[in-house]
């Protein structure tokens, strides 16, 4: 076999980390919007907001251009400003901490729970100080954060809550509330690897009409709903989501149950296939009535394993994998700006050093899961732990 032929064969066989489910319904929805002539600020935005808020049991929702934009506007709506502190998880995608910085507030980290990998309410409570304005728990990897505990802390200290639910569409709490439906501004993201995608996009769900009005205005250059075209009564941004994106989102909502079920099926296959590998830690099973909305399948390698070597060995046999996530406080920008160092949040640092995301998407076949499991097992055996 020639080199180019080999490369072609390999590209075909590669199991990617993620792959969105989009089809004729999304294509039709996009074409309809294109033909309508109204590509933005049109009826699809309102419809997507209505359907999405109903889906997570929230009275209201605001479509925005990304999860990050949603976090920014939600923190502003919660009253976070210069000099305030926002308590959040160091084990997250960097956007959840950055959003506080956009308002010259300070993200204050607290360590995570070793089982759920979510912000530990006790650690968060201990981090509350005189400048604390808000709690920003992240439902990491789709596992519900302990909201009843955060709600108690918030009410004891008079704090706002903003939830980063960007990874948690489809998750629900023990009392049956879907994540995003507890009334605090909760932010979802629709990047292509999320449970639901619009390419890029986001949504804030909430229950306060005044906050909804503020976010709707600030996403659109600070224009009030009843104002003239070029009249603006406050500072705003362009964080709008187009009708094209919203049309894709509406089509995705229609297939959401099927996509979530398919993700849960793949997670179940992984659990069976990986259970026998010694020292490998799998995502925690649902406990106490909390239900994960499956987003990624992240395992923790045994201590001492060369993770980069594992990534390379898997790549060599056509399997994508990725260290996921990094500890935010140890990123160079955060170290330099805030003087963070190793040892501050030991649970987070241990988890971040060992976690590896495996290929995970709704259309993944049993054979592909078996191939990943078999190769991962073989690599770990070779590296001799
Ligand atoms: C995806 C994600 C976001 C938002 O990402 P965008 O790319 O801005 O949509 C925020 N927080 C977490 C934890 C995420 O996984």
């Amino acid at each position: 076999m020639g080199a180019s032929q080999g490369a072609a064969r390999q590209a075909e066989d590669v199991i990617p980390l993620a792959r969105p489910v989009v089809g004729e319904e999304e294509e039709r929805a996009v074409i309809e919007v294109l033909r309508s002539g109204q590509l933005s600020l049109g009826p699809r935005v309102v419809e997507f907001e209505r359907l999405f808020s109903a889906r997570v049991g929230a009275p209201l929702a605001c479509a925005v251009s990304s999860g990050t934009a949603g976090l920014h506007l939600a923190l502003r709506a919660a009253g976070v400003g210069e000099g305030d502190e926002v308590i959040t998880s160091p084990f997250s995608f960097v956007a959840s901490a950055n959003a506080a910085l956009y308002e010259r507030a300070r993200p204050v980290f607290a360590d995570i729970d070793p089982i759920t990998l979510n912000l530990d309410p006790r650690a968060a409570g201990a981090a509350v100080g005189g400048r604390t304005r808000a709690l920003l728990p992240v439902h990491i990897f789709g596992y519900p954060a302990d909201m009843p505990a955060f709600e108690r802390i918030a009410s004891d200290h008079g704090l706002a809550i903003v939830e980063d639910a960007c990874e948690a569409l489809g998750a629900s709490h023990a009392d049956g509330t879907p994540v995003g439906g507890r009334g605090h501004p909760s932010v979802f993201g629709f990047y292509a690897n999320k449970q639901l995608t619009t390419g890029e996009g986001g949504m804030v769900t909430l229950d306060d009409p005044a906050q909804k009005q503020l976010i709707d205005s600030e996403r659109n250059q600070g224009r009030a709903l009843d104002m003239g075209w070029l009249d603006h009564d406050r500072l705003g941004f362009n964080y709008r989501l187009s009708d094209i994106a919203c049309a894709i989102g509406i089509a995705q909502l229609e297939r959401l149950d099927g996509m979530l079920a398919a993700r849960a099926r793949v997670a179940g296959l992984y659990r069976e296939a990986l259970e026998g590998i010694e020292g490998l830690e799998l995502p925690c099973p649902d406990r106490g009535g909390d239900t994960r909305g499956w987003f990624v399948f992240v395992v923790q390698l045994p201590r001492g394993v060369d993770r980069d070597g594992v990534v390379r060995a898997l790549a060599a046999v056509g399997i994508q994998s990725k260290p996921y996530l990094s500890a935010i406080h140890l990123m160079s920008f955060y170290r330099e700006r805030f003087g963070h160092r190793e040892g501050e949040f030991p649970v987070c640092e241990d988890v971040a050093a060992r976690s590896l995301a495996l290929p995970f998407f709704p259309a993944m076949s049993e054979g592909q899961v078996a191939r990943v499991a078999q190769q991962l097992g073989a690599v770990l055996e070779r590296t001799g732990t």
Side-chain angles (χ1 to χ4, degrees):
M1 198 192 307
S4 64
Q5 208 182 337
R9 150 77 81 79
Q10 218 171 10
E12 221 168 82
D13 287 350
V14 166
I15 306 178
L17 259 180
R19 191 162 59 201
V21 181
V22 284
E24 278 172 33
E25 293 80 0
E26 285 79 2
E27 289 176 18
R28 252 203 311 276
V30 167
I31 289 170
E32 220 174 274
V33 174
L34 293 177
R35 289 182 179 160
S36 78
Q38 179 139 27
L39 308 193
S40 195
L41 289 170
R44 296 298 188 283
V45 180
V46 182
E47 194 187 349
F48 186 31
E49 288 174 343
R50 185 177 60 77
L51 294 169
F52 193 91
S53 59
R55 171 75 205 203
V56 304
L60 300 166
C62 312
V64 288
S65 54
S66 69
T68 307
L71 287 166
H72 184 193
L73 295 186
L75 284 176
R76 284 175 62 90
V80 170
E82 181 156 8
D84 290 340
E85 292 183 351
V86 177
I87 297 174
T88 191
S89 175
F91 189 65
S92 176
F93 182 57
V94 70
S96 48
N98 282 351
L101 291 178
Y102 298 160
E103 289 301 314
R104 300 178 189 278
R106 181 186 173 118
V108 170
F109 300 112
D111 213 345
I112 60 171
D113 179 283
I115 308 288
T116 66
L117 312 186
N118 279 320
L119 183 61
D120 179 342
R122 261 179 308 177
V128 174
R131 291 177 167 268
T132 308
R133 181 75 190 220
L135 304 176
L136 175 42
V138 181
H139 305 281
I140 205 68
F141 302 158
Y143 197 84
D146 186 354
M147 291 316 299
F150 291 116
E151 285 158 3
R152 281 192 295 274
I153 297 169
S155 96
D156 285 351
H157 299 274
L159 307 175
I161 293 180
V162 169
E163 299 179 41
D164 183 338
C166 285
E167 302 191 351
L169 182 55
S172 57
H173 296 281
D175 64 3
T177 332
V179 164
R182 298 183 80 85
H184 329 290
S186 301
V187 183
F188 293 85
F190 306 138
Y191 181 71
N193 68 338
K194 304 276 154 111
Q195 287 94 330
L196 177 156
T197 186
T198 60
E200 298 280 0
M203 189 75 79
V204 184
T205 59
L206 68 177
D207 72 353
D208 179 346
Q211 286 185 329
K212 153 98 175 142
Q213 214 172 31
L214 186 65
I215 292 175
D216 282 354
S217 167
E218 290 189 346
R219 75 178 168 188
N220 189 25
Q221 311 287 6
R223 217 175 107 207
L225 283 181
D226 55 359
M227 283 181 127
W229 173 231
L230 288 174
D231 200 0
H232 305 265
D233 63 354
R234 59 168 67 87
L235 176 69
F237 307 86
N238 179 354
Y239 284 167
R240 295 187 302 265
L241 191 62
S242 74
D243 275 58
I244 301 168
C246 288
I248 298 173
I250 293 165
Q252 288 268 290
L253 270 179
E254 261 163 48
R255 58 163 96 242
L256 182 61
D257 284 329
M259 292 193 295
L260 290 172
R263 282 181 187 267
R265 175 191 63 88
V266 174
L269 292 172
Y270 261 129
R271 201 177 284 290
E272 258 173 55
L274 294 173
E275 236 150 27
I277 301 182
E278 214 184 299
L280 192 69
E281 289 169 50
L282 305 184
C284 73
D286 293 345
R287 329 181 286 176
D290 288 337
T291 308
R292 189 192 297 267
W294 280 98
F295 167 56
V296 282
F297 199 90
V298 174
V299 297
Q300 288 164 251
L301 300 180
R303 288 186 183 78
V305 167
D306 167 19
R307 181 173 55 176
D308 291 340
V310 172
V311 170
R312 275 194 305 272
L314 289 177
V317 292
I319 295 169
Q320 292 186 350
S321 64
K322 191 165 73 173
Y324 197 77
L325 295 147
S326 304
I328 296 176
H329 66 289
L330 298 182
M331 292 177 181
S332 49
F333 170 69
Y334 276 86
R335 280 180 194 258
E336 281 159 30
R337 176 112 170 224
F338 298 105
H340 289 300
R341 59 192 80 248
E342 274 92 357
E344 275 184 89
F345 307 110
V347 180
C348 166
E349 291 167 27
D350 175 56
V351 168
R354 297 190 292 125
S355 59
L356 186 72
L358 302 177
F360 188 70
F361 48 91
M364 216 175 154
S365 69
E366 195 166 351
Q368 286 176 313
V369 171
R371 200 176 119 202
V372 175
Q374 189 262 322
Q375 293 290 350
L376 179 61
V379 171
L380 289 175
E381 199 148 298
R382 277 206 305 279
T383 57
T385 50

